């Protein structure tokens, strides 16, 4: 009787949630749970009415959801298109049940994923929450992994899983430059054709897997292999390999079934609507295949390394020195969790002369992540920590990367390098010493803290070592400038807008993401004029972006920068002298302007061009003279920093290449100690392993030198990963910059269609025939290509451009020229 009283409400809901099968099921939980001993559900089809019972404890958690339940499998009811569900195979049922569950999700109903979730959708979304949302779309019978599926060599999973994989792959193509592999094809979108292709694939599997019907490695729960088909280029360039056979067709069929666009944008919009992707999902990150989360094995290895004493081969050999007598200063930004480096100054008297030795202490990350360990493998997979405007991904789990590995306070293991410089700032090569060590962090300072100490004078009094280190850094900077480093350029670097994103209740978008822009130069050149942060529009406050304000140069940033460059030069000079040690030397030839006479003359002309006294045009044009940097195992000059040898090794917690350098250096020191012990007739510790030495211990015992050391270290793979990470960072920054602009435009008063107006400087011409110019927006720190509507422009011209639209996903910024009080295209 109670159900009968609720029939009007049920009928209203049925109109909204009518199924294509002709059978509709309404779970009367929200209305009935308060007075029914059990949750009842009502079937109101064209066929005879049936009722069923669900325990109330299962209904109560979903009291607000009107759940659409499938009764088609319990009764032989024909679908609207005439197909009989009793004759349908499992893939057909899986596909259509998925479509119906997505319809339900889009209508506002929710469903919880099973616990624990299977690994069906690893790397299909950037968060675990997104993966769980995909899982919750699956019909219940498709959420249990079958034998062999998780390992990659078993049979393909249900059609619903393959369809969602294809949908994710298709959505990732949105905004990707290149061939549209997810575009429509003849017949694309027909569900029966897609399911037929899947049946043929399964038939091939059952027959043993013909090459054209089965992937080389079989199906895997990870989507990485699928993405490599779509987004990597073929060897030697050219178009990428063809996409997987059936996932994409199933995805197009799903979009057609749901009456959505069969395009990458349609797939992306559907995934956002279902909650699997965020509104600002980083598709470049997903396409890249970056490991977004650590595996269970990696987390367990990190926990074990953080909690249990580690085996210390350096202490075993007696080469780990106790440097706790030194005062160690750690200076970093307030937000830094992975603390790699610290500095010290040691004053000592020799021959009646007081000398000063600079110490640079780098965290001994390799002590906790030795070669062959799970943590070493985790670092190798990533290559570097990844810092994006909206998120960061560590190379190591935070339990070790932000814990025992770093110089976080107290006694810490480090790889320490000591050296001296002369009065001109030049390194004295004979003073270089490097050793594994134990140090005690005395001060953990932010840049602001250290700058206050310099300003107040305490860095030159009770903490005189800090002041002496700054003076040494200033001499080092002058030394490098005298040798032609990038800081010696007659024109300053162009300030660049760097976006940052944080959660904020005041932000206007649905995810409450606040975007800020900070203007920064590309290096701390002693004239680091950064700009104040502009408030984010689009949050209801309707405030325009503030004019940039100049901040003072940071002496502590100069100190740290020069200390790390000194460490790189010292290790490079030391490595080139000791022999038997391969290191990744970074090299860059000096620009050769004499070989490009016409361009050199044009550059000189631009140097005289006064663009507000900024020299922006010459800075922009001079980039074409910069030679690319390279990495090799032979020392060579690096013109950009003005040094004869340079090895980057100061961030082993953040860069895999630096971790490899630590490993190679420590192995070299251990081999030297073992040879010393053998020469003195001593006994080598029995627990020492071949991995500790980089060569078989037997080779050292037998006096053989025919085994090359460190055969397991390949610097090439780590530098390649770092390059990929930089590309991800650049793309993410470009996205959020345009999102910042989009919000500026969206925050305009109603009826204002002219857009936001910004002052811009013409840096130069890239295509005179089509009137394409590079312009620089001063308040945004943004360079963009602009097609002139009003004829030729000259480098240095200051113009005003109205930004009327921005699409971050596609990388589009719409701009047009506006009139100014001093006339268009003339310097004001």
């Amino acid at each position: 009787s109670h159900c009968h009283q609720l029939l009007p409400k049920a009928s209203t809901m049925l109109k909204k949630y009518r199924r294509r099968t002709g059978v509709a099921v309404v779970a009367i939980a929200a209305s009935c749970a308060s007075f029914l001993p059990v949750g009842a559900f009502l079937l109101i089809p064209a066929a005879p009415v049936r009722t069923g019972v669900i325990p109330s404890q299962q209904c109560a958690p979903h009291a607000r959801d009107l759940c659409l339940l499938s009764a088609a499998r319990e009764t032989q009811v024909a679908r609207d298109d005439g197909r009989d569900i009793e004759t349908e195979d499992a893939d057909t049922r899986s596909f259509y049940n998925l479509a119906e569950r997505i319809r339900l999700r889009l209508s506002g109903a929710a469903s919880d994923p099973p616990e624990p979730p299977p690994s069906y959708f690893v790397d299909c979304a950037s968060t675990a929450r997104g993966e769980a949302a995909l899982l919750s779309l699956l019909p219940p019978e498709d959420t249990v992994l079958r034998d062999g599926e998780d390992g990659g060599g078993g049979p393909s999973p249900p059609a619903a899983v393959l369809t969602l994989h294809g949908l994710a792959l298709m959505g990732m193509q949105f905004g990707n430059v290149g061939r549209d592999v997810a575009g429509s094809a003849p017949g694309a979108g027909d569900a029966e054709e897609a399911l037929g292709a899947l049946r043929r694939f399964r038939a091939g599997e059952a027959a043993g897997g013909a090459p054209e019907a089965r992937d080389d490695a079989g199906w895997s729960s990870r989507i990485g292999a699928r993405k490599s088909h779509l987004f990597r280029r073929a060897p030697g360039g050219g178009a990428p390999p063809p996409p997987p056979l059936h996932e994409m067709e199933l995805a197009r069929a799903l979009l057609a079934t749901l009456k959505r666009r069969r395009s990458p944008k349609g797939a992306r919009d559907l995934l956002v609507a279902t909650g699997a992707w965020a509104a600002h999902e980083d598709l470049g990150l997903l396409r890249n295949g970056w490991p977004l989360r650590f595996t269970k094995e990696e987390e367990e290895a990190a926990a074990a390394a953080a909690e249990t004493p580690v085996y210390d081969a350096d202490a075993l050999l007696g080469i780990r020195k106790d440097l706790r007598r030194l005062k160690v200063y750690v200076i970093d930004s307030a937000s830094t969790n992975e603390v790699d480096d610290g500095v010290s100054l040691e004053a000592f008297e020799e021959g009646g002369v007081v000398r000063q030795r600079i110490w640079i202490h780098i965290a001994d990350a390799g002590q906790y992540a030795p070669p062959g360990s799970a943590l070493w493998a985790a670092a190798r997979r990533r290559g570097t920590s990844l810092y994006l405007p909206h998120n960061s991904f560590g190379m190591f789990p935070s339990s070790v990367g932000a814990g025992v590995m770093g110089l976080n306070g107290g006694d810490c293991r480090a790889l320490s390098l000591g050296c001296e410089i002369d009065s001109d700032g030049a390194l004295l090569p004979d003073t270089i010493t490097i050793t594994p060590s134990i140090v005690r962090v005395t001060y953990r300072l932010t840049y602001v803290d250290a700058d206050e100490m310099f300003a107040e004078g305490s860095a030159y009094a009770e903490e005189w070592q800090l002041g002496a280190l700054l003076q040494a850094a200033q001499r080092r900077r002058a030394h490098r400038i005298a040798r032609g480093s990038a800081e010696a350029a007659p024109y300053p670097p162009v300030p660049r807008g760097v976006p940052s994103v944080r959660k904020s209740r005041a932000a206007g978008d649905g995810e409450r993401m606040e975007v800020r822009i900070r203007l920064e130069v590309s290096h701390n050149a002693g004239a680091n004029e950064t700009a104040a942060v502009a408030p984010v529009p689009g949050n209801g406050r309707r405030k325009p972006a503030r004019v940039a304000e100049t901040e003072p140069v940071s002496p502590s940033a100069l100190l740290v920068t020069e200390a790390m460059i000194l460490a790189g030069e010292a290790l490079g000079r030391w490595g080139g002298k000791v022999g038997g040690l391969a290191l990744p030397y970074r090299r860059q030839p000096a620009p050769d302007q004499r070989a490009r006479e016409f361009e050199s003359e044009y550059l000189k002309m631009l140097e005289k061009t006064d663009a507000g006294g900024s020299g922006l045009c010459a800075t922009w044009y001079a980039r074409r003279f910069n030679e690319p940097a390279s990495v090799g195992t032979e020392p060579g000059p690096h013109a950009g920093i003005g040094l004869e040898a340079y090895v980057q090794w100061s961030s082993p917690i953040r860069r895999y290449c630096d971790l490899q350098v630590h490993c190679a250096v420590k192995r070299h020191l251990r081999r030297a100690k073992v040879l010393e012990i053998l020469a003195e007739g001593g006994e080598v510790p029995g627990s020492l392993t071949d991995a500790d030495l980089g060569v078989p211990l037997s080779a050292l015992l037998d006096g053989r030198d025919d085994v090359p050391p460190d055969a397991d270290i390949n610097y090439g793979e780590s530098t390649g990963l770092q390059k990929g990470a930089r590309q991800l960072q650049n793309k993410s920054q470009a996205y959020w910059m345009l999102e910042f602009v989009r919000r500026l435009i969206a925050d305009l008063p109603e009826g204002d269609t002219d857009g936001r107006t910004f002052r811009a400087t013409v840096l130069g011409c890239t295509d005179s025939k089509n009137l394409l110019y590079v312009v620089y927006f001063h308040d945004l720190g943004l360079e963009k290509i602009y097609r002139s509507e009003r004829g030729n422009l000259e480098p240095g011209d200051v113009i005003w451009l109205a930004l009327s639209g921005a699409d971050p996903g596609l990388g589009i910024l719409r701009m047009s020229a506006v009139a100014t009080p001093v006339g268009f295209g003339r310097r004001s």
Side-chain angles (χ1 to χ4, degrees), residues 1-8 28 32 35-36 40 42:
S1 60
H2 293 303
C3 291
H4 179 72
Q5 295 172 17
L6 293 168
L7 280 178
I28 307 179
C32 302
F35 50 80
L36 285 181
L42 212 58

Side-chain angles (χ1 to χ4, degrees), residues 291-369:
L292 301 175
R293 284 170 291 285
F294 292 98
T295 65
K296 180 180 179 182
E297 293 74 15
E298 291 167 345
E299 293 283 6
E300 290 175 348
E307 295 172 2
T308 60
V310 295
Y311 163 75
D312 192 340
D314 302 311
L316 190 67
L317 287 169
I319 61 174
R320 188 176 292 279
K321 291 185 178 180
D322 188 346
L323 297 181
R324 286 176 285 190
R325 69 182 187 278
L326 300 175
K327 188 178 288 187
V328 178
Y329 299 92
V330 170
I331 306 174
D332 224 319
S333 62
S335 60
T336 298
N337 295 319
E338 302 161 324
V339 183
D340 287 297
D341 52 78
V343 292
S344 300
L345 187 82
E346 180 184 20
F348 61 98
E349 187 175 339
E350 187 176 282
V353 178
V354 177
R355 300 168 60 177
Q356 293 181 342
R357 177 179 289 123
I358 300 170
W359 285 95
I360 300 101
H361 311 286
I362 308 299
D364 192 355
Q367 183 62 45
Y368 304 90

Side-chain angles (χ1 to χ4, degrees), residues 540-688:
R541 293 178 292 182
R542 303 226 178 252
K543 292 182 180 179
R546 291 200 301 268
V547 177
E549 301 167 0
T550 300
E551 294 180 347
V553 176
S554 168
S556 60
L558 174 65
L559 188 162
V560 173
T561 299
E562 289 301 324
M564 296 307 112
I565 294 176
L566 174 61
E569 180 190 11
L571 184 64
R573 301 279 288 271
W574 176 83
K577 186 170 68 172
V578 298
L581 175 62
L583 293 174
Y585 293 91
R586 302 183 71 85
R587 301 167 301 198
Q588 184 184 35
D592 186 5
Q593 296 187 6
R594 291 177 300 178
R596 303 163 69 173
E597 184 176 354
F598 173 79
E599 292 172 315
S600 298
E601 291 298 322
Y602 187 75
L603 177 60
K604 292 177 182 178
M605 183 272 293
L606 289 177
E607 290 175 6
K608 301 175 183 178
T609 300
D610 181 19
S614 63
L616 293 176
C617 301
T619 301
W620 173 78
Y621 193 79
R623 293 174 188 168
R624 66 185 59 204
F625 293 98
N626 293 336
E627 298 290 339
S630 62
V631 178
T633 54
E634 293 296 328
H638 193 299
I641 53 179
L643 299 175
E644 289 300 316
Y646 180 71
V647 175
Q648 200 172 51
W649 66 288
S650 60
S651 297
I653 304 178
R654 312 182 198 195
R655 290 192 295 258
Y656 178 54
C657 189
D658 294 26
L659 182 68
Q660 291 177 304
V661 171
H662 276 235
C663 176
V665 168
K666 291 174 62 179
R667 282 173 167 179
H668 177 85
L669 296 173
R670 292 168 190 161
R671 291 194 296 269
K673 184 62 176 180
V674 168
L675 293 175
E676 179 185 325
I677 293 174
L678 293 175
E680 295 174 353
E683 185 175 347
V684 178
S687 57
L688 210 60

Side-chain angles (χ1 to χ4, degrees), residues 72-310:
R73 295 177 185 168
E74 299 183 15
T75 184
Q76 189 168 356
V77 180
R79 292 185 183 271
D80 291 344
D81 55 10
R83 293 194 308 275
D84 194 312
I85 65 166
E86 288 297 330
T87 64
E88 288 181 348
D89 57 27
D91 283 328
T92 302
R93 289 195 298 272
S94 177
F95 176 85
Y96 283 108
N97 284 341
L98 170 66
E100 289 157 4
R101 291 177 69 87
I102 291 178
R103 285 195 186 98
L104 175 62
R105 172 68 60 81
L106 298 179
S107 69
S111 56
D112 293 332
E115 293 289 343
S119 55
Y120 269 139
F121 300 113
V122 172
D123 294 341
C124 288
S126 60
T127 64
R129 182 179 179 181
E131 292 174 8
L134 284 170
L135 186 68
S136 67
L137 294 174
L138 295 180
E141 63 273 16
D142 291 342
T143 58
V144 180
L145 283 172
R146 299 186 299 227
D147 292 341
E149 286 180 4
D150 194 35
S156 298
V161 175
L162 294 172
T163 303
L164 289 176
H165 267 212
L167 192 68
L169 289 167
M170 195 171 178
M172 289 176 202
Q173 183 67 13
F174 178 68
N176 188 34
V177 178
R179 186 167 65 93
D180 182 8
V181 299
S184 298
D190 186 271
E192 291 310 308
E193 287 189 14
L195 290 167
L198 178 57
R199 294 186 197 101
R200 292 190 293 274
F201 174 86
R202 296 213 190 277
E205 274 191 324
E212 66 274 10
R214 184 182 176 91
D215 290 324
D216 294 339
W219 184 85
S220 171
S221 61
R222 284 193 170 274
I223 202 169
R226 295 288 190 257
K227 287 192 285 188
S228 68
H229 280 287
L230 294 177
F231 306 122
R232 82 169 176 225
R233 291 202 170 273
L245 294 174
H246 44 271
E247 288 100 323
M248 305 291 279
E249 291 301 324
L250 288 168
R252 280 188 281 264
L254 176 67
L255 291 168
T257 301
L258 296 174
K259 294 180 172 55
R260 286 180 169 261
R261 292 178 59 185
R262 292 167 288 168
S263 67
K265 186 178 187 306
R268 171 194 172 273
D269 291 347
L270 180 58
L271 288 165
V272 171
T274 59
W277 284 0
H280 300 291
E281 191 82 4
D282 195 329
L283 301 185
L285 190 62
L286 291 179
R287 285 193 294 266
N288 180 273
W290 187 271
L292 301 175
R293 284 170 291 285
F294 292 98
T295 65
K296 180 180 179 182
E297 293 74 15
E298 291 167 345
E299 293 283 6
E300 290 175 348
E307 295 172 2
T308 60
V310 295

